[in-house]
């Protein structure tokens, strides 16, 4: 493994929730598109993943609750206002959702609701699933971090891996190529991946009170995915119209300083991640925000990461990073989540981003310094060559 001799500066640890599940077959759950429009790309993905998208929607009690709300007078009015805003800000991404719906043979409203799950859940005072944990080591010798993707066990069999090439998406978007872990029926972006410009991202869910009509986290993350540089991606995340919150871990395989970005309806903050160790879970670290959502687990995961980071023997390798995100010492709220009585989430995948080598490794079992990844990707190679 590549060495990351960081200066053990731990000013703040930021962590996210992770989905642990027995999902080794995610490497067979693939979708791809080569198209001239966002609509056509969405349609191709919807057609390929139709069974998983439909099963995910029908098996989710949370989604059924939101769909029932969407049929009420209040729900119809709220959705109308959300749609007007998103068609104004991201018309090409609304078209992509329309394509997903047509390909999956589902009503557009169903997948529009799915892409606003966090915002509508906040409106109805329902806690959405916590997602993800990240641990970084950045230094002059090496730069890397790892990300755990978490969620409810019963939904873990549905996500898939998307490779996309959209040659001319029109409107606000330029031609795009990207690889992304994607939730069924949702826009790619709100998880982890990289694009052909060398921008790499992972996302941690954050929880806020319902602010009124705003931009959905799925749409904002999909917009960030199109960033041509880290600076461009950060700017894309910076809007005054957030309808929810999320944390972006952003970096480039072409160099520069990785960035931590926290968004909310009332704040937008960034931190440079040079010469330090850093962790982020599912609570705000840059600013003082109410303890909402996946708070208890986040506190425990953060404390454990801080303990591991402050031991006499410094963490200095990608193997050390994997040991941190694979840690299960806290039996109630482990970093690598495993559906405990107190923490009913699982870690689906663990992804190691090695910026020094430009290599991304994906693990579906509990990671450790000696674990073998299920997928190894050279992020410098064309996206369409991910699968060889």
């Amino acid at each position: 493994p590549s060495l990351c001799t960081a200066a053990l500066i731990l000013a703040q640890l930021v962590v996210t929730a992770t989905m642990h599940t027995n999902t080794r077959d995610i490497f067979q759950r693939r979708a791809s598109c080569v198209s001239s429009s966002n609509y056509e790309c969405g349609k191709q993905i919807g057609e390929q993943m139709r069974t998983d998208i439909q099963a995910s929607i029908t098996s989710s009690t949370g989604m059924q609750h939101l769909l029932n709300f969407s049929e009420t007078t209040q729900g119809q009015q709220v959705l109308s206002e959300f749609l007007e805003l998103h068609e104004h800000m991201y018309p090409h991404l609304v078209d992509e959702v329309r394509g997903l719906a047509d390909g999956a043979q589902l009503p557009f409203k169903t997948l529009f609701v799915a892409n606003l799950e966090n915002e509508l859940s906040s409106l109805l005072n329902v806690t959405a699933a916590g997602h993800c944990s990240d641990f970084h080591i950045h230094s002059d010798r090496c730069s890397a971090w790892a990300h755990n993707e978490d969620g409810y066990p019963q939904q873990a069999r549905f996500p898939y891996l998307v490779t996309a090439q959209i040659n001319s998406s029109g409107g606000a978007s330029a031609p795009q190529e990207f690889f992304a872990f994607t939730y069924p029926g949702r826009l790619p972006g709100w998880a982890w991946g990289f694009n052909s410009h060398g921008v790499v991202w992972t996302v941690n869910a954050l929880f806020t009170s319902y602010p009124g009509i705003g931009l959905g986290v799925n749409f904002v993350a999909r917009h960030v995915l199109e960033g041509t540089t880290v600076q461009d991606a950060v700017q894309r995340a910076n809007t005054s119209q957030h309808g929810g919150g999320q944390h972006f871990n952003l970096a480039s395989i072409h160099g520069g300083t990785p960035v931590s970005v926290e968004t909310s309806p009332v704040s937008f903050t960034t931190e440079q991640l040079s010469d330090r160790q850093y962790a982020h879970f599912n609570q705000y670290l840059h600013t003082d925000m109410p303890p909402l959502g996946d708070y208890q687990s986040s506190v425990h995961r953060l404390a454990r990461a801080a303990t591991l980071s402050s031991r006499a023997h410094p963490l200095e390798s990608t193997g050390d990073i994997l040991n941190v995100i694979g840690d299960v010492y806290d039996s109630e709220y482990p970093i690598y989540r495993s559906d405990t009585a107190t923490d009913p989430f699982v870690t689906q995948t663990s992804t190691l981003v090695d910026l020094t080598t430009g290599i991304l490794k994906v693990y579906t079992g509990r990671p450790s310094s000696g674990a073998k990844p299920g997928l190894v990707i050279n992020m410098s190679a064309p996206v369409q060559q991910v699968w060889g």
Side-chain angles (χ1 to χ4, degrees):
S2 56
L3 294 181
C4 304
T5 52
L8 206 64
I9 299 172
L10 200 63
Q12 289 179 313
L13 280 171
V14 189
V15 190
T16 349
T18 316
M19 303 170 123
H20 159 101
T21 58
N22 189 8
T23 56
R24 298 187 186 282
D25 63 334
I26 191 170
F27 302 124
Q28 282 70 54
R29 294 202 303 276
R30 311 174 188 176
S32 64
C33 80
V34 178
S35 68
S36 60
S37 70
N38 287 79
Y39 171 85
E40 185 57 34
C41 181
K43 185 177 181 182
Q44 290 177 23
I45 294 170
E47 289 171 344
Q48 295 165 47
M49 307 309 299
R50 181 181 300 152
T51 300
D52 290 300
I53 294 172
Q54 291 183 356
S56 170
I57 298 297
T58 58
S59 65
S60 170
T61 55
M63 270 300 301
Q64 296 309 308
H65 181 56
L66 297 181
L67 289 172
N68 289 338
F69 169 72
S70 74
E71 297 296 331
T72 67
T73 301
Q74 180 190 10
Q76 292 174 10
Q77 178 61 34
V78 167
L79 276 188
S80 176
E81 293 177 16
F82 269 117
L83 182 58
E84 181 179 2
L85 173 63
H86 286 78
E87 285 188 322
H88 173 69
M89 294 294 294
Y90 307 133
H92 61 299
L93 300 185
V94 175
D95 282 346
E96 194 167 313
V97 176
R98 293 187 193 280
L100 274 169
D102 287 349
Q105 298 181 355
L106 288 169
F108 165 72
K109 183 172 75 171
T110 296
L111 293 195
F112 189 57
V113 167
N115 279 277
L116 293 172
E117 183 175 11
N118 278 36
E119 292 70 34
L120 295 175
S121 296
S122 177
L123 167 63
L124 300 178
N125 293 316
V126 176
T127 300
H131 289 281
C132 312
S133 304
D134 284 73
F135 185 78
H136 299 246
I137 298 177
H138 299 292
S139 73
D140 292 338
R141 294 184 62 186
C142 179
S143 183
W145 88 92
H147 171 87
N148 282 347
E149 190 67 31
D150 304 333
Y152 289 117
Q154 59 270 29
Q155 291 293 308
R157 67 187 186 275
F158 299 124
Y160 41 84
L161 301 173
V162 168
T163 54
Q165 178 179 334
I166 307 175
N167 295 317
S168 178
S169 49
S173 178
Q176 313 159 45
E177 290 186 42
F178 60 82
F179 176 82
F181 179 104
T182 304
Y183 288 97
R186 279 71 171 182
L187 293 166
W190 199 62
W192 56 264
F194 65 94
N195 67 26
S196 59
H197 301 288
V199 176
V200 194
W201 73 91
T202 64
V203 177
N204 309 128
L206 296 175
F207 300 90
T208 65
S209 299
Y210 180 67
I213 303 300
L215 295 170
V217 293
N218 279 286
F219 286 90
V220 174
R222 176 66 180 82
H223 185 52
V224 169
L225 175 160
E226 298 175 6
T228 57
T229 63
V230 170
Q231 183 179 11
D232 181 40
V234 170
Q235 188 58 42
R236 287 167 179 268
N238 187 5
T239 173
S240 61
Q241 300 186 74
H242 284 291
Q246 57 191 318
H247 172 258
F248 293 98
N249 305 270
L250 292 167
S252 171
I253 63 171
H254 302 307
T257 303
V259 181
S260 163
V261 179
E262 287 186 350
T263 71
S264 81
V266 296
S267 65
F268 175 85
T269 57
T270 65
E271 285 197 21
Q272 303 292 305
L273 302 182
S274 59
D275 294 323
R276 65 190 300 187
Q277 296 182 16
Y278 189 74
H280 206 292
F281 299 93
N282 302 114
Q283 284 298 315
Y284 285 91
L285 296 183
H286 302 180
T287 56
D288 186 18
M289 300 287 278
L292 300 175
D294 204 13
Y295 182 75
Q296 191 73 9
S297 172
S298 291
V299 169
H300 279 250
R301 285 177 282 147
L302 179 61
R304 179 58 180 165
T307 298
L308 292 171
S309 299
S310 60
R311 290 183 171 175
H313 178 68
L315 304 180
E316 57 181 11
S317 72
T318 54
D320 291 332
I321 294 173
L322 291 175
N323 287 335
V324 171
I325 65 164
D327 188 80
V328 293
Y329 178 83
D330 187 329
S331 60
E332 291 187 330
Y333 297 101
I335 294 176
Y336 188 79
R337 305 173 83 170
S338 51
D339 190 18
T340 67
T342 49
D343 186 40
F345 300 100
V346 294
T347 296
Q348 237 179 210
T349 61
S350 298
T351 302
L352 176 68
V353 179
D354 191 335
L355 297 173
T356 304
T357 62
I359 298 297
L360 182 145
K361 298 179 180 180
V362 185
Y363 303 79
T364 53
R366 179 184 165 197
S368 66
S369 58
K372 184 178 180 180
L375 180 64
V376 178
I377 302 172
N378 179 355
M379 293 182 287
S380 297
V383 170
Q384 296 299 328
Q385 293 181 14
V386 164
W387 300 111

